[in-house]
Amino acid sequence: VTTLTETKPVEYLNDHIPEPGEVYEVLPGIHWIRMPLPFQLNHINLWLMEEDDGWVLVDTGINDDRTKEIWRDIFGRLLNGKSLKRLICTHAHPDHIGLGGWLHNEYGAELAITREEWTFGRIVSRGPMATKEFYHQYLSQIGVPEDELDNYSRHLESAEHLYEEVPARYERLRDGHSINIGGHSWQVIIGLGHSTEHACLYCEELNVLIAGDQVLPKISPIIMVHSHEPMANPLKDFLDSNEKLRHLPSSVTVLPSHNAPFTGLHARLDQFVEHHDERLETVLDMCAEPLSGLEVSQKLFPQELDHAGMFFATGEAVSHIRYLEYEGKLRRTEHPDGIDRFQRV
């Protein structure tokens, strides 16, 4: 049982949402750009800051013609003869680094990112991480029927088109280190669970946290087990690493990658704990009888899902199963059909 303290509720900074192509100064010296995404989550927030000798951009949008066109228009209006000097990517999902290679090649932006995120992005942007058979083996083990394997693995096999090839060189962001942006010191705070080594940036002087996907105001970040690390415990990683953010002031302004800037960081962290506690109890109750990962996901997400949604739902379900398995609350057994099933201890 987690005891939650009384915290300041989540409040949005203002009612303004930038249109695609609009550059909105959300805080002094920090410009908010909202790029469209062709997914159910239909946008990503990006942050642009000016320095004496150039501009610094945080995250990129995905690799598609529309996003490139919007960037060309923005840079044509905004750069004022300065270069796009630096690109900081919070993590290596395609909406955050998909245009990293293009911005490096076209505008000269040097990439700064954590080592594990660079490695992941570099691999994925150059093609599938593994064969179709590898993905099918993992999906079969969690209970996906043979005639559905292609539907569940399609998202994995085609992700590289969302990326321009991630640059071959980068500046490493390290947990606890500071970087200078626009004359201000920003501390790197590493979050885990949603991705392998996600970088948040905190400026004490401005009292601002660029949170990426680690802290979102309306939705919980996707926390999932992947086929290349099937025994991972990303939900524990997520909840544990979020505790580092509790040391920030309750008044901090959070700039998230989705939805709108807000205050009430500590309340949001409490809500994540409550949400996942409830999910874990639900999974535990479901597994009074042996269930596969797929069966758990179908009970957790009974709504109709597209191929990407099916992929994310199974990964989310297995992350909760794995957490409970490591806690000793679920027992895993491999059945003769090759499917792992889980039952409450």
Side-chain angles (χ1 to χ4, degrees):
V1 178
T2 303
T3 302
L4 304 177
T5 56
E6 192 69 29
T7 51
K8 180 178 180 292
V10 170
E11 294 180 359
Y12 291 100
L13 214 54
N14 56 46
D15 295 329
H16 183 76
I17 303 295
E19 295 293 326
E22 180 184 355
V23 180
Y24 176 67
E25 191 170 18
V26 64
L27 292 168
I30 302 177
H31 300 84
W32 176 13
I33 296 162
R34 176 170 279 208
M35 283 291 183
L37 296 175
F39 312 126
Q40 185 174 356
L41 186 58
N42 63 7
H43 70 275
I44 179 173
N45 300 324
L46 313 169
W47 317 101
L48 193 59
M49 290 172 271
E50 188 173 8
E51 299 189 308
D52 291 339
D53 59 347
W55 291 81
V56 177
L57 173 64
V58 179
D59 290 338
T60 73
I62 64 164
N63 173 38
D64 68 5
D65 291 339
R66 185 184 182 193
T67 309
K68 289 177 180 178
E69 182 181 339
I70 294 171
W71 275 131
R72 288 189 185 104
D73 175 64
I74 289 173
F75 293 148
R77 290 182 281 116
L78 191 73
L79 293 185
N80 294 326
K82 294 183 179 181
S83 65
L84 182 65
K85 187 175 69 171
R86 195 161 29 144
L87 168 64
I88 299 170
C89 289
T90 57
H91 61 298
H93 291 163
D95 48 336
H96 297 262
I97 200 175
L99 281 180
W102 181 75
L103 290 167
H104 175 74
N105 294 330
E106 293 285 321
Y107 294 94
E110 292 292 340
L111 174 65
I113 191 170
T114 63
R115 178 183 285 170
E116 289 195 31
E117 297 292 340
W118 175 81
T119 302
F120 178 83
R122 180 77 175 158
I123 293 171
V124 174
S125 70
R126 303 180 81 187
M129 291 182 68
T131 63
K132 178 187 287 192
E133 290 72 26
F134 173 82
Y135 297 132
H136 285 189
Q137 180 184 0
Y138 168 74
L139 291 166
S140 296
Q141 195 171 351
I142 64 174
V144 177
E146 187 173 355
D147 60 354
E148 286 287 308
L149 289 171
D150 283 337
N151 289 336
Y152 277 82
S153 64
R154 192 174 303 171
H155 183 83
L156 286 165
E157 295 167 27
S158 61
E160 73 270 13
H161 79 276
L162 300 173
Y163 294 84
E164 280 268 337
E165 187 172 311
V166 168
R169 68 169 184 256
Y170 72 105
E171 174 190 351
R172 183 182 176 190
L173 301 180
R174 300 169 184 260
D175 191 29
H177 286 205
S178 294
I179 58 174
N180 190 281
I181 309 174
H184 300 291
S185 178
W186 292 78
Q187 181 190 357
V188 178
I189 304 174
I190 299 301
L192 306 175
H194 175 69
S195 65
T196 56
E197 196 183 6
H198 182 297
C200 302
L201 300 173
Y202 170 63
C203 179
E204 182 177 11
E205 184 179 356
L206 300 176
N207 198 25
V208 172
L209 175 71
I210 297 177
D213 280 353
Q214 194 70 21
V215 184
L216 303 173
K218 285 189 176 180
I219 58 176
S220 176
I222 293 170
I223 310 296
M224 62 182 297
V225 171
H226 292 273
S227 54
H228 59 269
E229 194 181 358
M231 298 308 294
N233 191 358
L235 180 54
K236 179 171 172 54
D237 291 340
F238 175 72
L239 296 172
D240 287 352
S241 65
N242 276 356
E243 291 303 304
K244 292 188 286 187
L245 298 172
R246 292 189 184 273
H247 298 294
L248 303 185
S250 60
S251 59
V252 67
T253 297
V254 182
L255 304 182
S257 289
H258 306 286
N259 306 123
F262 68 99
T263 58
L265 170 65
H266 295 188
R268 196 66 188 119
L269 296 176
D270 288 347
Q271 289 165 8
F272 289 150
V273 173
E274 290 173 334
H275 168 75
H276 288 292
D277 278 354
E278 289 171 5
R279 282 299 213 191
L280 289 166
E281 282 299 319
T282 300
V283 171
L284 209 49
D285 290 341
M286 287 177 185
C287 292
E289 56 179 336
L291 293 178
S292 69
L294 178 66
E295 289 168 329
V296 172
S297 76
Q298 290 170 336
K299 289 175 180 289
L300 277 180
F301 303 97
Q303 66 270 37
E304 188 173 338
L305 300 170
D306 61 15
H307 294 139
M310 291 156 58
F311 165 74
F312 291 130
T314 52
E316 279 264 352
V318 176
S319 75
H320 288 76
I321 289 169
R322 200 67 74 214
Y323 185 101
L324 292 166
E325 183 183 0
Y326 283 119
E327 289 280 302
K329 296 178 180 178
L330 286 182
R331 180 185 296 113
R332 171 166 51 102
T333 55
E334 183 179 334
H335 286 237
D337 57 9
I339 297 172
D340 285 347
R341 290 182 173 83
F342 303 85
Q343 186 168 16
R344 185 171 189 157
V345 174

